[in-house]
Amino acid sequence: MLVLHQYHLSPYNEKLQRMLNFKGIAFTEQYWQLGERKQVAALNPIGKLPALEHDGRVICDSTDVAHYLEQAFPEPPLIPADPALRGQVHVLEDWADESLYFYEMHLRFTTPGNRERNIPRMVEHESAFLRWLLPKVVPGGIAKITASQGIGRKSPEQLMIDVTRHIEAVNDLLSEAQWLVGNRISLADLAVYGMFDALRDADMAAAQIARYSAVVAWMERVEQTTSERASPANATSKEDDS
Ligand SMILES: N[C@@H](CCC(=O)N[C@@H](CS)C(=O)NCC(=O)O)C(=O)O
């Protein structure tokens, strides 16, 4: 059995859950609390999730997990065999993971209105003490990360210019295509979808996404193509965790 270890509200969860669904692989989900960092460090010394447990092995980092899954469960493929397409998938996946991630994190958890709605969702499974403490410290902690990364130092207006440009770029890629790379769904779609879905938790980004019809239609297409497959283990675990 495969176990997907996750933190609540992580955009990387969507990427891997949908990959597992698309490949028809049964899995259970284990959600960890932010107060369980020691136990998470035992799984992944870097302390980050998601991580995948399979046959006694733990694979960390969503990109490594995706490549592991593709090798262990090649059908149906999500990473193209064609080198030019494979290169495009990697570049888009890395853009999602290493650039879009900071925009969605900053907008969801540090900006007024959005942080008040999203932080309680992030901490709802923590102890009573952490449910009290984390809303006071998480926005500042995330703002520090995004300030050192650069995005957090931009004005709200400049941030939204960036985000809109990113959404428009995806809309352009989809202007004559159903999927981001080639003519079938790939890991690039799942990685970018995960970040756009998280961006929809921030009001101003959600409003921008709604303006781009090719993006809206593509997000629905990704959802339909990678929706949950019937799997008793999965269903039980989802109920337990939500
Ligand atoms: N590059 C990693 C990033 C994973 C990541 O940043 N996960 C966040 C949750 S969204 C995390 O575990 N944060 C806890 C920490 O940094 O200690 C991946 O693709 O899996």
mmCIF file of all heavy atoms in Angstrom, residues 215-232:
data_model
loop_
_atom_site.group_PDB
_atom_site.id
_atom_site.type_symbol
_atom_site.label_atom_id
_atom_site.label_comp_id
_atom_site.label_asym_id
_atom_site.label_seq_id
_atom_site.Cartn_x
_atom_site.Cartn_y
_atom_site.Cartn_z
ATOM 1 N N VAL A 215 -8.106 29.056 -19.314
ATOM 2 C CA VAL A 215 -7.575 28.544 -18.040
ATOM 3 C C VAL A 215 -8.695 27.873 -17.242
ATOM 4 O O VAL A 215 -8.529 26.770 -16.707
ATOM 5 C CB VAL A 215 -6.915 29.675 -17.211
ATOM 6 C CG1 VAL A 215 -6.552 29.195 -15.812
ATOM 7 C CG2 VAL A 215 -5.676 30.197 -17.926
ATOM 8 N N VAL A 216 -9.848 28.531 -17.185
ATOM 9 C CA VAL A 216 -10.983 27.970 -16.430
ATOM 10 C C VAL A 216 -11.378 26.615 -17.020
ATOM 11 O O VAL A 216 -11.562 25.626 -16.293
ATOM 12 C CB VAL A 216 -12.179 28.961 -16.436
ATOM 13 C CG1 VAL A 216 -13.422 28.323 -15.834
ATOM 14 C CG2 VAL A 216 -11.808 30.240 -15.686
ATOM 15 N N ALA A 217 -11.463 26.551 -18.357
ATOM 16 C CA ALA A 217 -11.862 25.286 -19.008
ATOM 17 C C ALA A 217 -10.812 24.202 -18.777
ATOM 18 O O ALA A 217 -11.130 23.036 -18.532
ATOM 19 C CB ALA A 217 -12.064 25.516 -20.507
ATOM 20 N N TRP A 218 -9.537 24.585 -18.828
ATOM 21 C CA TRP A 218 -8.440 23.623 -18.586
ATOM 22 C C TRP A 218 -8.472 23.099 -17.144
ATOM 23 O O TRP A 218 -8.289 21.896 -16.917
ATOM 24 C CB TRP A 218 -7.111 24.313 -18.908
ATOM 25 C CG TRP A 218 -5.893 23.661 -18.372
ATOM 26 C CD1 TRP A 218 -5.253 22.553 -18.869
ATOM 27 C CD2 TRP A 218 -5.121 24.079 -17.241
ATOM 28 N NE1 TRP A 218 -4.147 22.262 -18.113
ATOM 29 C CE2 TRP A 218 -4.042 23.187 -17.106
ATOM 30 C CE3 TRP A 218 -5.237 25.131 -16.323
ATOM 31 C CZ2 TRP A 218 -3.093 23.306 -16.096
ATOM 32 C CZ3 TRP A 218 -4.293 25.253 -15.324
ATOM 33 C CH2 TRP A 218 -3.233 24.337 -15.206
ATOM 34 N N MET A 219 -8.743 23.990 -16.183
ATOM 35 C CA MET A 219 -8.799 23.524 -14.784
ATOM 36 C C MET A 219 -9.919 22.501 -14.612
ATOM 37 O O MET A 219 -9.754 21.481 -13.943
ATOM 38 C CB MET A 219 -8.952 24.710 -13.817
ATOM 39 C CG MET A 219 -7.693 25.566 -13.768
ATOM 40 S SD MET A 219 -7.738 26.894 -12.557
ATOM 41 C CE MET A 219 -7.337 26.007 -11.053
ATOM 42 N N GLU A 220 -11.051 22.756 -15.253
ATOM 43 C CA GLU A 220 -12.164 21.786 -15.186
ATOM 44 C C GLU A 220 -11.766 20.467 -15.849
ATOM 45 O O GLU A 220 -12.083 19.383 -15.369
ATOM 46 C CB GLU A 220 -13.398 22.356 -15.879
ATOM 47 C CG GLU A 220 -14.089 23.418 -15.031
ATOM 48 C CD GLU A 220 -15.185 24.170 -15.794
ATOM 49 O OE1 GLU A 220 -15.549 23.743 -16.913
ATOM 50 O OE2 GLU A 220 -15.637 25.187 -15.259
ATOM 51 N N ARG A 221 -11.012 20.584 -16.958
ATOM 52 C CA ARG A 221 -10.566 19.377 -17.679
ATOM 53 C C ARG A 221 -9.628 18.556 -16.798
ATOM 54 O O ARG A 221 -9.732 17.335 -16.717
ATOM 55 C CB ARG A 221 -9.855 19.817 -18.968
ATOM 56 C CG ARG A 221 -9.824 18.801 -20.069
ATOM 57 C CD ARG A 221 -9.222 19.405 -21.338
ATOM 58 N NE ARG A 221 -9.941 20.585 -21.784
ATOM 59 C CZ ARG A 221 -9.394 21.788 -22.036
ATOM 60 N NH1 ARG A 221 -8.109 21.969 -21.940
ATOM 61 N NH2 ARG A 221 -10.141 22.792 -22.407
ATOM 62 N N VAL A 222 -8.707 19.233 -16.122
ATOM 63 C CA VAL A 222 -7.777 18.519 -15.226
ATOM 64 C C VAL A 222 -8.587 17.827 -14.124
ATOM 65 O O VAL A 222 -8.358 16.646 -13.807
ATOM 66 C CB VAL A 222 -6.738 19.484 -14.602
ATOM 67 C CG1 VAL A 222 -5.930 18.779 -13.515
ATOM 68 C CG2 VAL A 222 -5.802 20.042 -15.670
ATOM 69 N N GLU A 223 -9.561 18.555 -13.559
ATOM 70 C CA GLU A 223 -10.372 17.974 -12.472
ATOM 71 C C GLU A 223 -11.116 16.735 -12.953
ATOM 72 O O GLU A 223 -11.107 15.689 -12.281
ATOM 73 C CB GLU A 223 -11.358 19.030 -11.937
ATOM 74 C CG GLU A 223 -10.670 20.060 -11.058
ATOM 75 C CD GLU A 223 -11.408 21.405 -10.993
ATOM 76 O OE1 GLU A 223 -12.582 21.460 -11.397
ATOM 77 O OE2 GLU A 223 -10.776 22.386 -10.560
ATOM 78 N N GLN A 224 -11.723 16.827 -14.126
ATOM 79 C CA GLN A 224 -12.489 15.679 -14.633
ATOM 80 C C GLN A 224 -11.584 14.493 -14.931
ATOM 81 O O GLN A 224 -11.932 13.350 -14.680
ATOM 82 C CB GLN A 224 -13.246 16.071 -15.902
ATOM 83 C CG GLN A 224 -14.513 16.843 -15.592
ATOM 84 C CD GLN A 224 -15.006 17.648 -16.786
ATOM 85 O OE1 GLN A 224 -14.544 17.452 -17.907
ATOM 86 N NE2 GLN A 224 -15.924 18.565 -16.540
ATOM 87 N N THR A 225 -10.402 14.768 -15.469
ATOM 88 C CA THR A 225 -9.508 13.690 -15.919
ATOM 89 C C THR A 225 -8.801 13.015 -14.747
ATOM 90 O O THR A 225 -8.352 11.873 -14.874
ATOM 91 C CB THR A 225 -8.461 14.285 -16.901
ATOM 92 O OG1 THR A 225 -9.146 15.052 -17.877
ATOM 93 C CG2 THR A 225 -7.657 13.208 -17.595
ATOM 94 N N THR A 226 -8.690 13.699 -13.638
ATOM 95 C CA THR A 226 -7.894 13.156 -12.518
ATOM 96 C C THR A 226 -8.709 13.047 -11.236
ATOM 97 O O THR A 226 -8.166 13.077 -10.143
ATOM 98 C CB THR A 226 -6.668 14.057 -12.242
ATOM 99 O OG1 THR A 226 -7.142 15.378 -11.928
ATOM 100 C CG2 THR A 226 -5.753 14.125 -13.441
ATOM 101 N N SER A 227 -10.043 12.967 -11.409
ATOM 102 C CA SER A 227 -10.875 12.900 -10.203
ATOM 103 C C SER A 227 -10.667 11.558 -9.519
ATOM 104 O O SER A 227 -10.165 10.614 -10.116
ATOM 105 C CB SER A 227 -12.339 13.093 -10.561
ATOM 106 O OG SER A 227 -12.740 12.021 -11.360
ATOM 107 N N GLU A 228 -11.082 11.514 -8.299
ATOM 108 C CA GLU A 228 -10.802 10.345 -7.467
ATOM 109 C C GLU A 228 -11.361 9.062 -8.081
ATOM 110 O O GLU A 228 -12.504 9.027 -8.504
ATOM 111 C CB GLU A 228 -11.439 10.561 -6.108
ATOM 112 C CG GLU A 228 -10.811 9.748 -5.024
ATOM 113 C CD GLU A 228 -11.310 10.215 -3.672
ATOM 114 O OE1 GLU A 228 -11.743 11.374 -3.591
ATOM 115 O OE2 GLU A 228 -11.270 9.416 -2.741
ATOM 116 N N ARG A 229 -10.528 8.032 -8.105
ATOM 117 C CA ARG A 229 -11.002 6.721 -8.557
ATOM 118 C C ARG A 229 -11.562 5.981 -7.351
ATOM 119 O O ARG A 229 -11.122 6.203 -6.219
ATOM 120 C CB ARG A 229 -9.840 5.891 -9.119
ATOM 121 C CG ARG A 229 -9.129 6.556 -10.263
ATOM 122 C CD ARG A 229 -9.695 6.089 -11.581
ATOM 123 N NE ARG A 229 -9.205 6.939 -12.655
ATOM 124 C CZ ARG A 229 -8.305 6.562 -13.546
ATOM 125 N NH1 ARG A 229 -7.823 5.345 -13.516
ATOM 126 N NH2 ARG A 229 -7.908 7.381 -14.480
ATOM 127 N N ALA A 230 -12.507 5.057 -7.602
ATOM 128 C CA ALA A 230 -13.067 4.270 -6.500
ATOM 129 C C ALA A 230 -11.966 3.449 -5.851
ATOM 130 O O ALA A 230 -11.275 2.697 -6.520
ATOM 131 C CB ALA A 230 -14.151 3.358 -7.035
ATOM 132 N N SER A 231 -11.732 3.657 -4.583
ATOM 133 C CA SER A 231 -10.706 2.901 -3.861
ATOM 134 C C SER A 231 -11.085 2.904 -2.396
ATOM 135 O O SER A 231 -11.063 3.954 -1.769
ATOM 136 C CB SER A 231 -9.346 3.551 -4.060
ATOM 137 O OG SER A 231 -8.549 3.372 -2.929
ATOM 138 N N PRO A 232 -11.472 1.753 -1.835
ATOM 139 C CA PRO A 232 -11.965 1.733 -0.459
ATOM 140 C C PRO A 232 -10.971 2.343 0.527
ATOM 141 O O PRO A 232 -11.337 3.138 1.369
ATOM 142 C CB PRO A 232 -12.159 0.243 -0.169
ATOM 143 C CG PRO A 232 -12.217 -0.412 -1.507
ATOM 144 C CD PRO A 232 -11.456 0.434 -2.458
#
